Amino acid sequence: MADDPQITIDDEWGARQRVRMVEEQLRARGISDARVLAAMGAVPRERFVPASTRFQAYDDGALAVGEGQTISQPYIVGYMTAELDVGAEHRVLEVGTGTGYQTAVLARLATRVYTVERLPRLAQAAAETLAALGVANVVTRVGDGSLGWPEEAPFDRIIVTAGAPGVPQTLLNQLTDGGILVAPVGELSSQRLVRVVRRGRTFHERPGIGCRFVKLIGGEGWNENGS
Ligand code: SAH
């Protein structure tokens, strides 16, 4: 459950880095949601990055995590999480598990997180990290998350952490009434973080800040070769 002490701060270095990250990279840039700041102040980001980059875990940028993929900049994780406005009773779908870092942040805020990753090796590593940290309210799956998770739909919140050419309609259809989706949408080289709120059969879309994500590959995403 959201209030469980799922993740213990494992060392002083990480704890100090998190305090600094929250102040300098999140709060100073306008992220003020106390629950988001607390969640990001608690998840040990250094456990989600490759061992060789552990000491860069709290740098103000994205990091390569293997297989051509990246872990997002902390500010982007904070921004998207705040935009998602996650409540303690919410069931959340995440598309693009990657390292599982964003998953762990969401797991502190929501009742349950369903996360889909297309690359089996990343999905496996993320599941192991989450289990090692005692995060119990996450369900992982390997597959094409651009098509959502029909068996578990609808979701109160949906977050896409890979860049899509357009807002995937299949995902919008898996939102509850009043549900919110946040996704990077645009060209391969740059996107905007779009927020969509569902009201019955209508979808209210608002573009947010610019960003650059690796591509969403799949039925409602790009082809493997980028077209
Ligand atoms: N949120 C992650 C970063 C994600 S990087 C983190 O915190 O570490 C984007 C991820 O989306 C990559 O791992 C990529 O393999 C995955 N991805 C791309 N297309 C996908 C799809 N259709 N379904 C599921 N995962 C996808």
Side-chain angles (χ1 to χ4, degrees):
M1 287 315 219
D3 294 330
D4 282 356
Q6 300 164 328
I7 296 167
T8 51
I9 292 169
D10 65 333
D11 69 61
E12 268 179 50
W13 177 82
R16 273 201 312 275
Q17 296 290 317
R18 279 191 290 284
V19 169
R20 218 175 62 155
M21 174 191 79
V22 166
E23 290 309 316
E24 295 176 5
Q25 299 179 37
L26 306 182
R27 211 192 295 270
R29 292 183 185 140
I31 295 171
S32 57
D33 184 319
R35 296 182 72 233
V36 173
L37 297 175
M40 290 190 63
V43 176
R45 187 169 157 95
E46 69 275 24
R47 298 281 292 270
F48 292 86
V49 301
S52 58
T53 58
R54 240 179 131 109
F55 289 104
Q56 288 148 261
Y58 295 92
D59 286 2
D60 190 11
L63 280 175
V65 296
E67 309 227 4
Q69 307 304 324
T70 53
I71 181 171
S72 302
Q73 179 188 18
Y75 173 67
I76 293 291
V77 174
Y79 177 91
M80 291 180 85
T81 309
E83 284 279 277
L84 211 56
D85 195 18
V86 182
E89 73 288 1
H90 286 160
R91 296 168 70 250
V92 179
L93 172 67
E94 179 191 39
V95 178
T97 314
T99 63
Y101 173 69
Q102 170 81 73
T103 323
V105 172
L106 293 167
R108 295 190 71 88
L109 301 172
T111 184
R112 193 165 292 274
V113 182
Y114 299 83
T115 185
V116 190
E117 169 58 52
R118 64 180 283 274
L119 298 175
R121 286 232 299 257
L122 288 181
Q124 178 67 29
E128 283 168 13
T129 307
L130 292 165
L133 292 170
V135 181
N137 57 337
V138 170
V139 192
T140 61
R141 178 188 211 179
V142 175
D144 178 6
S146 77
L147 303 177
W149 194 323
E151 300 85 351
E152 295 292 347
F155 299 96
D156 303 294
R157 299 290 185 262
I158 299 178
I159 182 171
V160 183
T161 63
V167 180
Q169 186 61 44
T170 309
L171 296 182
L172 292 179
N173 292 341
Q174 292 180 23
L175 276 178
T176 57
D177 195 5
I180 298 174
L181 172 145
V182 175
V185 174
E187 304 300 318
L188 282 176
S189 56
S190 73
Q191 306 94 31
R192 272 196 184 280
L193 284 170
V194 172
R195 181 184 203 256
V196 185
V197 182
R198 178 176 199 165
R199 298 269 174 237
R201 288 190 186 175
T202 57
F203 297 93
H204 303 271
E205 189 173 319
R206 135 160 97 64
I209 61 169
C211 58
R212 184 175 183 162
F213 276 77
V214 297
K215 64 183 181 233
L216 181 74
I217 298 173
E220 291 238 21
W222 301 92
N223 293 331
E224 197 97 37
N225 61 14
S227 57

